[in-house]
């Protein structure tokens, strides 16, 4: 090559490591918080019909009007709140950050949490402040308030429940953050279906709050659809950064139908919650293993040697997530997504063999 890309690419991008997606061929795949159940047969047939009828020669509806209507009606978005769609909630995190990325602006988030908050701060040239959770992985309200006052973040991201810890932060601690924040607070409810608790209604009381959801964990990861709800004054500005047709027509058509039938997906989520309880009990019974109570569709646990256990599981064709080395508080931690009862049994047997 006549020139070296490294001369032109921003140094902070050169230093980044790309988001890793593991090869899951022929594996029991319990690494990515997917719903393990396929869509029920009748809904698959309906989706096939919608795909067949879609006008693929036309650009999608840029406003996704039908989908907007369905989500407002079925997912409890309060009166007066607006909705903005993203190609997955990842894209929304990026749009929010881009809109707020004034020179010197800061993103603040508790840590360990979802890695994209930090990565996207780097993409957008923003400062990033990670505030450690307590040893129990709960929110430390004193520390959060202190660091918010110190750094005056343009936006605070809080995953509720948190990934990768599975914890659902205390409501009073969350309220203190909401009151202390001088800018936007985004509550990322990616795992809402497994938690039974939400800040959506709080949108009525907090003008600087946005609540973000995704359909990914509900069984529709392949569609790539996230949305954020909040005051129109915020979302109208952030919407200017959205590329015109970010939600494709097939996603719009299928998601509209499935949101209309969200009870069916919630029933799958309820089955996953039951399996989570069984899996947590089985893990808690294992010697030398510590687990944290989860309100999501995955469980975080610590073993004596996580890289070794992870490799031994992989050799038995079970793929989970190794978090060792990703954050100092996650030393020797592994995260398993709750699968079907059959997958969970395979995982538990493989884990017992790996720890023996
Ligand atoms: N927020 C959190 C807390 C997540 O864990 C994830 C996915 N791992 C996302 C957002 C992004 O999900 P998606 O882009 O699939 O909507």
């Amino acid at each position: 090559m006549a020139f070296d890309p490294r001369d032109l690419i921003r140094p902070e991008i050169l230093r980044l490591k790309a988001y890793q997606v593991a090869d899951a061929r022929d594996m029991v795949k319990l690494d990515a918080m997917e719903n393990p159940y396929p869509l029920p047969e009748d809904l698959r047939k309906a989706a096939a019909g919608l795909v067949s009828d879609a006008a693929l020669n036309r650009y999608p509806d840029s406003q996704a009007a039908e989908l907007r209507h369905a989500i407002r009606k079925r997912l409890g978005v309060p009166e007066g709140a607006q909705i903005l769609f993203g190609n997955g909630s990842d894209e929304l995190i990026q749009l929010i950050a881009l809109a707020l990325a004034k020179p010197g602006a800061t993103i603040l988030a508790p840590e360990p949490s979802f890695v994209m908050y930090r990565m996207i701060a780097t993409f957008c040239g923003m400062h990033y402040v990670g505030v450690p959770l307590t040893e129990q992985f709960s929110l430390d309200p004193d520390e959060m308030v202190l660091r918010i006052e110190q750094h005056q973040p343009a936006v605070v991201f809080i995953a509720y429940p948190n990934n990768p810890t599975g914890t659902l932060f205390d409501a009073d601690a969350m309220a203190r953050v909401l009151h202390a924040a001088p800018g936007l607070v985004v509550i990322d409810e990616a795992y809402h279906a497994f938690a039974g608790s939400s800040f959506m209604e709080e949108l009525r009381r907090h003008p600087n709050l946005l609540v973000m959801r995704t359909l990914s964990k509900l069984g529709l990861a392949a569609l790539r659809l996230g949305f954020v709800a909040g005051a129109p004054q915020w979302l109208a500005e952030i919407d200017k950064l959205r590329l015109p047709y970010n939600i494709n027509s097939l996603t719009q058509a299928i998601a509209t139908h499935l949101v209309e039938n969200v009870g069916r997906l919630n029933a799958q989520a309820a089955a996953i919650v039951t399996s989570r309880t069984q899996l947590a009990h089985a893990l808690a019974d294992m010697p030398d293993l510590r687990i944290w109570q989860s309100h999501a569709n995955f469980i975080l646990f610590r073993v004596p040697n996580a890289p070794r256990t992870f490799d031994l599981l992989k050799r038995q064709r079970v793929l989970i997530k190794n978090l060792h080395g990703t954050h100092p508080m996650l030393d020797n931690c592994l995260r398993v997504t709750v699968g079907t009862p059959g997958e969970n049994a395979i995982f538990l047997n493989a884990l017992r063999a790996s720890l023996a």
Side-chain angles (χ1 to χ4, degrees):
M1 218 186 281
F3 56 86
D4 186 342
R6 284 174 298 185
D7 295 338
L8 289 174
I9 304 281
R10 289 153 53 197
E12 64 273 27
I13 305 303
L14 290 175
R15 282 194 299 271
L16 275 182
K17 248 180 75 188
Y19 188 84
Q20 295 292 328
V21 178
D23 182 1
R25 269 173 302 178
D26 305 325
M27 299 285 240
V28 175
K29 189 175 186 314
L30 301 174
D31 65 327
M33 288 81 105
E34 292 146 328
N35 173 345
Y37 298 106
L39 266 188
E41 182 69 21
D42 58 321
L43 293 179
R44 278 167 57 189
K45 288 226 166 84
L50 290 165
V51 169
S52 157
D53 290 346
L56 296 184
N57 54 322
R58 301 291 177 198
Y59 281 107
D61 172 2
S62 176
Q63 290 306 309
E66 280 185 40
L67 180 57
R68 190 175 298 274
H69 178 71
I71 285 190
R72 184 172 283 292
K73 194 168 66 174
R74 299 282 178 203
L75 302 188
V77 177
E79 200 79 29
Q82 190 48 270
I83 296 172
L84 177 67
F85 290 113
N87 192 292
S89 42
D90 283 344
E91 188 188 33
L92 291 168
I93 300 167
Q94 188 169 49
L95 292 179
I96 293 165
L98 268 177
L100 297 170
K102 283 188 187 173
T106 294
I107 290 181
L108 183 144
E111 267 194 4
S113 188
F114 186 36
V115 292
M116 290 311 287
Y117 306 145
R118 177 195 282 276
M119 285 188 78
I120 285 173
T122 305
F123 299 171
C124 300
M126 297 176 83
H127 296 297
Y128 174 83
V129 175
V131 182
L133 295 172
T134 69
E135 199 264 340
Q136 293 290 327
F137 291 140
S138 52
L139 203 60
D140 184 338
D142 293 338
E143 193 64 21
M144 283 295 283
V145 169
L146 190 77
R147 302 289 287 277
I148 286 171
E149 284 171 357
Q150 197 179 346
H151 295 281
Q152 297 289 304
V155 54
V156 178
F157 280 100
I158 301 185
Y160 181 88
N162 190 39
N163 171 21
T165 62
T167 35
L168 190 70
F169 299 137
D170 174 71
D172 292 338
M174 295 286 285
R176 282 190 59 198
V177 170
L178 271 168
H179 285 114
L184 203 50
V185 177
V186 179
I187 300 187
D188 177 350
E189 297 190 341
Y191 301 96
H192 164 257
F194 317 99
S197 180
S198 170
F199 275 79
M200 198 61 99
E201 276 300 309
E202 295 297 311
L203 287 176
R204 299 180 195 276
R205 280 175 281 282
H206 298 281
N208 290 355
L209 172 64
L210 298 181
V211 174
M212 193 162 69
R213 298 263 183 95
T214 176
L215 299 192
S216 296
K217 322 297 172 183
L218 257 183
L220 305 173
L223 292 185
R224 307 301 297 130
L225 185 75
F227 72 93
V228 63
Q233 292 85 335
W234 283 111
L235 297 187
E237 298 304 325
I238 299 165
D239 189 44
K240 295 175 185 170
L241 290 156
R242 183 178 62 87
L243 298 178
Y245 305 111
N246 64 330
I247 311 302
N248 74 71
S249 300
L250 302 183
T251 293
Q252 289 190 33
I254 298 171
T256 302
H257 186 67
L258 296 178
V259 167
E260 291 288 0
N261 291 280
V262 71
R264 309 283 297 282
L265 301 176
N266 283 333
Q268 292 184 335
I272 291 166
V273 168
T274 303
S275 297
R276 178 183 74 200
T277 308
Q278 291 159 354
L279 187 58
H281 281 143
L283 287 170
D285 280 347
M286 291 191 190
D288 300 329
L289 190 147
R290 172 168 183 193
I291 81 163
W292 283 269
Q293 196 196 358
S294 171
H295 294 81
N297 62 341
F298 56 83
I299 296 175
L300 182 76
F301 61 101
R302 178 172 279 144
V303 292
N305 183 340
R308 179 169 186 274
T309 304
F310 176 75
D311 282 338
L312 290 172
L313 284 169
K314 231 162 86 173
R315 279 189 220 167
Q316 298 171 85
R317 316 305 301 165
V318 175
L319 183 65
I320 64 169
K321 179 82 177 173
N322 179 15
L323 294 162
H324 184 78
T326 62
H327 189 277
M329 292 174 79
L330 295 172
D331 270 359
N332 284 315
C333 283
L334 299 167
R335 185 192 66 200
V336 62
T337 303
V338 180
T340 63
E343 288 172 332
N344 298 337
I346 293 171
F347 158 71
L348 285 167
N349 283 335
L351 182 63
R352 283 190 195 99
S354 305
L355 291 171

